[in-house]
Amino acid sequence: MVGLKPPEVPPTAAVKFVSAGMAGCIADLCTFPLDTAKVRLQIQGEARVPRPVSSVRYRGVLGTLSTMVRTEGARSLYSGLAAGLQRQMSFASIRIGLYDSVKQLYTPKGAENTGMAARLLAGCTTGAVAVACAQPTDVVKVRFQASGALPDSARRYSGTVDAYRTIAREEGIRGLWRGTLPNIARNAIINCGELVTYDLLKDALLRTRLMTGEDGAGRTWRVPSLSPNVQPPALPPSDNVPCHFVAAFGAGFCATLVASPVDVVKTRYMNASPGEYRSALSCLLALLTQDGPAGLYKGFVPSFLRLGSWNVVMFVSYEQLQRAVALARPALA
């Protein structure tokens, strides 16, 4: 199965915008427990949280997930999901859905191909704009994922709406945009490592036809047939699910590798109490003092498992949703 075929007419910016938000939600539903495990591992050992010797410790991805289920129940794996879905509908829609449109703005008129500079600028632009719009949802999501490790009496919020209201009342409107600068840096890096890598890998796979039944001369390789009288079917076209899968997996690894240090600082800074850190830089220095350079890659395995699988689900869903909408439009007209 190679999924729906590419439409003859390219999807509009509106179709990409909506498809990206929906695909982001689908990916979050599939990978949210891994994201929660990543957050728990990243905040483990924060100086502000006094822990007795017998307190719960998280060890590895599977250990973290099993410990959470054992001590907090299975629902803890999806703590903060509502804020996560709200985040994707605004965040993924902008940074992914508008990427192609912004890329065209940076591409010189008359150019046959989009250069690397235009791709990088488009990734940084959509990532920064998405953060500016969706930062409050990210703050609430991280707070919920982190608070699950605390006893009920110590939890700060009773629900998503209460979290928005409480943060705005106690920390001001600025509290909802806490950690915006490190998050912009993180998502600019992730967008370049993720979208640009996916863009380049997909273009390379389509250009070289590695995922197709054709060679470089345009000749079609066919599946061998046992019957000489039966013409064997041609292999599927290259713009298919296997192509999207490979490109998305490579994009997830590159994004995790370059963004993990910023991601750790962002998570700790967002989860901090008012006044704990003067700035994101002081949070970084405290992390380096306490854990050394290795602390910058805390939770790398769950980060990769989450971001790699998230990318695969998101990009495959994104491509298929665009095509499904294109097929549905004539029927709805």
Side-chain angles (χ1 to χ4, degrees), residues 8-137:
E8 295 181 1
V9 179
T12 63
V15 170
K16 292 181 179 181
F17 185 87
V18 175
S19 298
M22 294 174 63
C25 289
I26 293 171
D28 252 24
L29 286 170
C30 295
T31 63
F32 204 80
L34 292 172
D35 189 43
T36 304
K38 177 205 71 172
V39 169
R40 295 292 181 88
L41 286 169
Q42 287 177 338
I43 66 171
Q44 182 167 254
E46 281 187 296
R48 74 178 180 88
V49 184
R51 292 181 180 272
V53 177
S54 60
S55 64
V56 174
R57 302 290 294 179
Y58 303 117
R59 299 182 184 278
V61 183
L62 295 179
T64 300
L65 295 174
S66 62
T67 299
M68 289 173 62
V69 172
R70 186 178 67 253
T71 59
E72 306 167 37
R75 292 182 61 182
S76 65
L77 299 177
Y78 283 89
S79 179
L81 177 63
L85 296 180
Q86 293 167 10
R87 175 178 180 267
Q88 291 303 333
M89 284 306 298
S90 56
F91 185 70
S93 296
I94 295 173
R95 79 178 185 92
I96 297 170
L98 299 183
Y99 170 76
D100 287 333
S101 299
V102 175
K103 183 175 66 175
Q104 294 303 317
L105 293 177
Y106 287 121
T107 303
K109 291 183 178 181
E112 295 183 1
N113 298 309
T114 303
M116 177 65 75
R119 298 176 198 259
L120 292 174
L121 286 171
C124 291
T125 301
T126 58
V129 173
V131 169
C133 296
Q135 183 70 3
T137 61

Side-chain angles (χ1 to χ4, degrees), residues 207-226:
R207 186 173 60 256
T208 58
R209 298 185 178 277
L210 292 177
M211 311 297 292
T212 186
E214 295 181 0
D215 61 13
R219 294 170 298 194
T220 301
W221 298 102
R222 295 181 179 271
V223 179
S225 174
L226 297 178

Side-chain angles (χ1 to χ4, degrees), residues 182-198:
N183 210 13
I184 285 177
R186 170 187 179 269
N187 280 285
I189 294 171
I190 282 187
N191 250 25
C192 292
E194 185 179 82
L195 287 175
V196 175
T197 302
Y198 179 81

